[in-house]
Amino acid sequence: MRARDEIEDPRRLFLVRALASGLFMVGASAGVLRPVVAGLLGRVPKELPPGKSIYEVKGEVFVNGTKATVDTIIGPNDTVETRKGSRIIFVVGKDAFILRQNSQLKLSGGNVVIEALRLLSGALLSVFGKTDHRINTVTATIGIRGTGIYVESEPDQSYVCTCYGISEIEAVEDPSSTEIIFSEHHDAPRYVLAGEPEGRKIRPAPFKNHTDVELMLIEELVGRAPPFMFSGGRYRSPRRGY
């Protein structure tokens, strides 16, 4: 799956371009930016109430093989799949996600808490509460805690952007290819490649295919704001997602 195949919402693209041009300050409070984001995305993002899992479902999305609606409940041991042109934005506990089109995601954990995720295909943007988690792809294992992270999984490579927080990345077929990432704001995206020499399967990658607007949205769904909201910096380049 190539993430850029997903259709861009023109309102979201307008906001991304505005942010990239420096129209808004990253250091502005969530209270100031929330109405702006709401006006362009169509509604006010807010924390989901108890008993609610899904903020948005678009197109053909399935949970445990059954077509999902906004009333579907997603638990920490469920499987979520999206078809072409589809996506889902959802919450489990204190973790929130955007699963893009043509993706298959398997969750595993306890009664109410996700412990591990396996992204078999596709692309996933996630924000996590302050508990340990693990994300597995075809080529990578990623340990995380209290982190915002974007991952794409393809048969021959994974893309991993630690948007903020700490992650430990390891190549599945080569334990000697490992790296610990400390990131404040998309500082060190990586590819994790199959078929490369031992110790060299993790390579630098560009920032791509996800936005700070999306991170703001899903953090809001679990009652938080991303740390870059309070950094006092400016957007220096487009934060575009497809």
Side-chain angles (χ1 to χ4, degrees), residues 58-158:
K58 172 188 173 183
E60 291 188 294
V61 179
F62 298 85
V63 176
N64 299 328
T66 300
K67 191 169 183 179
T69 72
V70 292
D71 297 318
T72 298
I73 301 299
I74 300 176
N77 290 286
D78 289 342
T79 297
V80 186
E81 300 177 74
T82 60
R83 302 281 174 84
K84 184 177 180 179
S86 303
R87 71 166 179 264
I88 183 171
I89 303 174
F90 68 99
V91 168
V92 179
K94 286 297 182 180
D95 308 328
F97 309 93
I98 300 176
L99 186 65
R100 302 211 194 282
Q101 67 168 351
N102 295 328
S103 299
Q104 184 178 14
L105 176 68
K106 292 188 175 183
L107 309 174
S108 61
N111 292 329
V112 295
V113 177
I114 296 172
E115 296 172 358
L117 308 90
R118 184 166 184 80
L119 185 64
L120 300 173
S121 60
L124 177 72
L125 182 67
S126 312
V127 296
F128 295 96
K130 296 187 181 300
T131 56
D132 293 329
H133 296 77
R134 186 179 70 257
I135 299 177
N136 297 298
T137 70
V138 177
T139 65
T141 297
I142 309 145
I144 51 181
R145 180 181 177 89
T147 304
I149 193 165
Y150 175 72
V151 179
E152 296 179 4
S153 180
E154 300 178 31
D156 58 347
Q157 71 175 29
S158 299

Side-chain angles (χ1 to χ4, degrees), residues 166-195:
I166 302 171
S167 67
E168 183 173 2
I169 305 171
E170 180 180 302
V172 168
E173 60 185 36
D174 178 18
S176 66
S177 290
T178 183
E179 186 174 1
I180 297 176
I181 303 293
F182 298 85
S183 175
E184 292 185 358
H185 197 193
H186 314 290
D187 295 317
R190 294 290 185 262
Y191 288 121
V192 186
L193 306 170

Side-chain angles (χ1 to χ4, degrees), residues 209-231:
N209 297 347
H210 61 294
T211 73
D212 285 335
V213 175
E214 291 170 310
L215 287 163
M216 290 162 57
L217 167 63
I218 56 178
E219 287 280 26
E220 187 74 34
L221 298 183
V222 286
R224 299 187 301 256
F228 61 74
M229 292 287 291
F230 310 105
S231 68

Side-chain angles (χ1 to χ4, degrees), residues 30-53:
V32 171
L33 286 179
R34 188 179 297 123
V36 178
V37 176
L40 290 167
L41 297 184
R43 51 179 161 160
V44 177
K46 59 183 179 180
E47 185 172 2
L48 289 186
K52 186 80 171 176
S53 296

